[in-house]
């Protein structure tokens, strides 16, 4: 099926389509929703939620959807009303999704970083060091080699749960423990030949019998002559991903790619690499969001700013992060 699922239910088998359409017409909307899951049922009805939205997002977030705020995905959640769905049935083409077309740098997102780096005095840039402690009272950051740096402003873009560990004090550790998120195991796979799927850029897989929730085709994006893919597998915050887990998931992934018809008996894995995103997606809920905003406001008085998707602990795009960085830089320069 084409994505978003909720605007393409006409592509389902007739009986399933009727179920979805009936439940959509008879959904029970409310002024206020208690959770992300509550919002899904209220906006889309039982069938759309239970056929795709609930199982997929449970695989993605690796958490009970009742614990997520109703606006956990912000503008990135593709809502659809009945008129839009009906219109899409006739046009058979969705033109409203936020990511159905986009521009991307020819040499990758690293191009932005390289341009910024080339414009700076490299003697004032310190690489391959890690901050291990921050004294926010005296404005001193300690590095992993024992050296200390005095700062006027400190701007953090690392994950907030890691950043909070650099401070001493109960309020910092309390907030760190409250933060919820998932981890994602990512495989990058290179095969000896193309797949029969030659047009798709990425796919969403709600079926819980399949270990991954999303897959993507680098070769189709880059017009390459061999299948190359990324595979994403969700884990909970407390889950430990061991070498044995990675080996097991790689084996399962290859089996499931074969079952789905993406690879066949003649398709051989030639290269692969593994990435563990920790954190991957932050879990946004109202109470924790208030605590995060309070922390940010208090530390800004001390010259400390934490921004970006992970630094600000939010669900946003790459361009949102770039705009936030530009705005902060302009504000500090003017101040």
């Amino acid at each position: 099926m084409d994505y978003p699922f909720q605007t393409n239910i006409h592509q389902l088998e007739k009986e399933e389509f009727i179920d979805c359409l009936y439940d959509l017409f008879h959904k029970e909307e409310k002024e206020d929703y208690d959770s992300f899951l509550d919002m899904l049922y209220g906006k889309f009805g039982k069938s759309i939620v239970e056929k795709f939205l609930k199982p997929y997002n449970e695989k993605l977030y690796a958490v009970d959807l009742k614990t997520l705020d109703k606006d956990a995905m912000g503008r990135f959640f593709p809502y659809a009303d009945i008129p839009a769905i009906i219109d899409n049935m006739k046009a058979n083409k969705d033109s409203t999704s936020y990511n159905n077309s986009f521009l991307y740098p020819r040499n990758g997102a690293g191009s932005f970083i390289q341009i910024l780096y080339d414009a700076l005095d490299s003697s004032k840039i310190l690489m391959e060091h890690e901050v291990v402690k921050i004294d926010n009272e005296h404005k001193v950051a300690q590095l992993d080699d024992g050296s200390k740096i005095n700062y006027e402003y400190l701007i953090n873009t690392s994950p907030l749960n890691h950043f909070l560990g650099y401070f001493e004090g109960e309020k910092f550790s309390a907030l760190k423990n409250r933060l919820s998120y998932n981890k994602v195991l990512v495989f990058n796979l290179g095969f000896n030949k193309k797949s029969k799927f030659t047009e798709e850029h990425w796919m969403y897989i709600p079926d819980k019998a399949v270990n991954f929730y999303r897959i993507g085709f680098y070769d189709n994006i880059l017009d390459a002559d061999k299948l190359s893919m990324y595979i994403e597998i969700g884990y909970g915050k407390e889950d430990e991903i061991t070498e044995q887990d990675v080996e097991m998931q790689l084996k399962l992934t290859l089996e499931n790619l074969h079952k789905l018809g993406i690879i066949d008996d003649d398709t051989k894995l030639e290269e692969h690499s593994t990435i563990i995103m920790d954190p991957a997606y932050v879990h946004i809920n109202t109470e924790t969001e208030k605590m995060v905003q309070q922390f940010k406001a208090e530390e800004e008085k001390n010259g400390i700013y934490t921004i970006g998707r992970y630094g600000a602990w939010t669900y946003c795009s790459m361009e949102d992060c770039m705009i936030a960085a530009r705005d902060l830089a302009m504000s500090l320069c003017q101040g």
Side-chain angles (χ1 to χ4, degrees):
M1 286 181 60
D2 291 327
Y3 182 83
F5 179 92
Q6 50 268 40
T7 58
N8 289 286
I9 56 175
H10 60 283
Q11 297 178 10
L12 289 166
E13 296 293 330
K14 182 178 178 180
E15 186 175 337
E16 289 190 301
F17 170 50
I18 291 172
D19 287 342
C20 289
L21 201 58
Y22 179 87
D23 290 346
L24 186 64
F25 269 94
H26 293 280
K27 66 185 186 295
E28 297 180 5
E29 291 200 66
K30 301 188 294 187
E31 287 293 326
D32 295 304
Y33 294 101
D34 299 329
S35 67
F36 186 67
L37 183 61
D38 189 34
M39 179 276 293
L40 293 181
Y41 278 113
K43 294 285 188 182
F44 300 101
K46 182 175 183 289
S47 292
I48 289 178
V49 171
E50 296 186 359
K51 290 181 188 299
F52 179 79
L53 296 176
K54 184 176 185 287
Y56 173 76
N57 283 288
E58 285 177 342
K59 287 177 72 176
L60 165 62
Y61 285 110
V63 72
D64 186 339
L65 300 184
K66 292 178 182 178
T67 66
L68 299 182
D69 186 82
K70 63 183 177 64
D71 295 318
M73 292 178 65
R75 74 178 192 276
F76 299 96
F77 188 84
Y79 293 96
D81 55 20
I82 291 173
I85 292 171
I86 300 300
D87 288 345
N88 195 47
M89 288 168 57
K90 185 173 182 179
N92 200 32
K93 183 179 181 181
D94 173 59
S95 59
T96 60
S97 178
Y98 75 90
N99 65 351
N100 61 343
S101 66
F102 55 90
L103 297 175
Y104 199 75
R106 184 181 300 275
N107 295 318
S111 305
F112 295 123
I113 307 302
Q114 191 63 49
I115 291 169
L116 292 172
Y117 179 82
D118 291 342
L120 296 172
D121 180 354
S122 61
S123 67
K124 296 181 179 179
I125 299 174
L126 186 61
M127 308 280 274
E128 297 181 0
H129 284 71
E130 181 182 354
V131 173
V132 295
K133 185 178 180 181
I134 296 172
D135 182 344
N136 58 334
E137 181 179 353
H138 299 98
K139 293 191 171 185
V140 177
Q142 182 176 324
L143 305 185
D144 53 355
D145 62 358
S147 61
K148 297 181 178 180
I149 296 177
N150 297 300
Y151 62 83
E152 181 179 5
Y153 300 114
L154 189 153
I155 302 171
N156 171 64
T157 61
S158 70
L160 186 60
N161 60 323
H162 298 316
F163 185 58
L164 288 164
Y166 302 149
F167 299 87
E168 292 184 347
E170 170 62 26
K171 68 174 183 178
F172 301 110
S173 58
L175 177 55
K176 178 182 178 181
N177 292 334
R178 282 297 304 269
L179 297 178
S180 181
Y181 54 91
N182 77 338
K183 301 175 184 177
V184 171
L185 171 63
V186 182
F187 290 124
N188 287 308
L189 308 178
F191 296 92
N192 63 323
K193 68 186 191 73
K194 289 285 282 190
S195 167
K196 69 179 183 182
F197 291 90
T198 58
E199 301 295 330
E200 291 76 9
H201 285 183
W202 61 83
M203 294 180 177
Y204 301 92
I205 317 292
D207 186 353
K208 291 193 174 182
V210 177
N211 61 322
F212 41 76
Y213 65 84
R214 180 168 61 184
I215 61 177
F217 298 82
Y218 293 127
D219 57 313
N220 292 341
I221 296 173
L222 301 172
D223 194 26
D225 59 3
K226 290 183 179 180
L227 173 62
S228 56
M229 306 182 69
Y230 63 83
I231 311 290
E232 297 178 344
I233 303 165
Y235 281 83
K237 170 185 175 179
E238 303 296 339
D239 292 338
E240 182 181 1
I241 305 175
T242 65
E243 289 185 12
Q244 290 74 19
D245 290 318
V246 173
E247 291 176 6
M248 176 196 70
Q249 291 288 8
L250 180 58
K251 182 175 181 291
L252 271 176
T253 293
L254 295 174
E255 290 173 357
N256 284 320
L257 288 175
H258 192 278
K259 288 177 183 177
L260 294 174
I262 294 167
I263 62 175
D264 58 27
D265 292 339
D266 296 324
T267 307
K268 307 301 179 186
L269 182 65
E270 292 188 330
E271 298 286 348
H272 73 276
S273 65
T274 304
I275 300 169
I276 297 175
M277 299 175 65
D278 178 13
Y281 290 90
V282 306
H283 296 159
I284 297 175
N285 64 67
T286 303
E287 188 174 346
T288 304
E289 176 68 11
K290 290 178 181 177
M291 295 174 67
V292 170
Q293 294 307 318
Q294 182 180 355
F295 162 76
K296 290 168 64 178
E298 289 176 355
E299 292 310 314
E300 284 178 10
K301 296 175 184 177
N302 298 322
I304 295 176
Y305 301 84
T306 181
I307 63 172
R309 181 168 187 165
Y310 295 106
W313 206 251
T314 188
Y315 195 112
C316 66
S317 68
M318 183 166 61
E319 58 267 29
D320 291 321
C321 298
M322 295 166 66
I323 291 169
R326 180 200 64 186
D327 290 349
L328 177 58
M330 292 175 65
S331 173
L332 296 181
C333 288
Q334 293 168 357

